Amino acid sequence: MEGYIQEQKKKIGDRIQKIIAILDLEPAQFAVLTKLTVNTIINIESGKGFNSNTILNISFYTGMPLNVLLNVSSNKIDKTRLIQDFWYNVKTYNSQEYEKFNEKSFTIVEAIRKLIEETSFFDMSKKTGEVRNRISKDYSINLESSAVSQALLDFVKDGLLKKSKVGARNYHYYK
């Protein structure tokens, strides 16, 4: 029985990971926007455990009824509906974090764009922490690494930056 329970938790964790990916969020961002902790999201994603209140919270913010959210036998998720419902619910029921998220996203993107286009900052490869520190210094704001990482990845997708892996977990970004 314990094996079955663990297998189901892992399937639910995989489903939540897919939802977070569809929303194009980092786990830390998803946690803040859904009024959960980062550790809770990490535990769900790894299949370690969660309680019914956590699942109900995710169901509420994603707009996915429990039978759809927990349908681990289906890979189908209505992406358009998920994105629309999620942002509507976050804006309506967690407006303070919604505003902070949008403000920081804009600031980070604009700050990195300026570093790319107007300075030689990215002529030499930089770690996420170095970029975060530079933005914090230039704009006097505190940023989470996950938010900066996401913005950097967006610039890589757009072809304005390149990335290379250094070590097991670190990436460097450069022109």
Side-chain angles (χ1 to χ4, degrees), residues 41-53:
I41 298 302
I42 290 169
N43 286 339
I44 291 170
E45 288 183 326
S46 65
K48 287 184 180 173
F50 40 85
N51 63 38
S52 58
N53 286 340

Side-chain angles (χ1 to χ4, degrees), residues 141-173:
I141 57 173
N142 293 322
L143 303 171
E144 293 183 31
S145 290
S146 60
V148 176
S149 293
Q150 186 60 52
L152 288 167
L153 289 173
D154 289 343
F155 281 105
V156 170
K157 285 181 197 172
D158 293 342
L160 295 172
L161 287 177
K162 297 173 186 162
K163 77 174 183 174
S164 62
K165 192 169 188 173
V166 178
R169 298 181 60 198
N170 294 319
Y171 288 97
H172 284 207
Y173 299 89

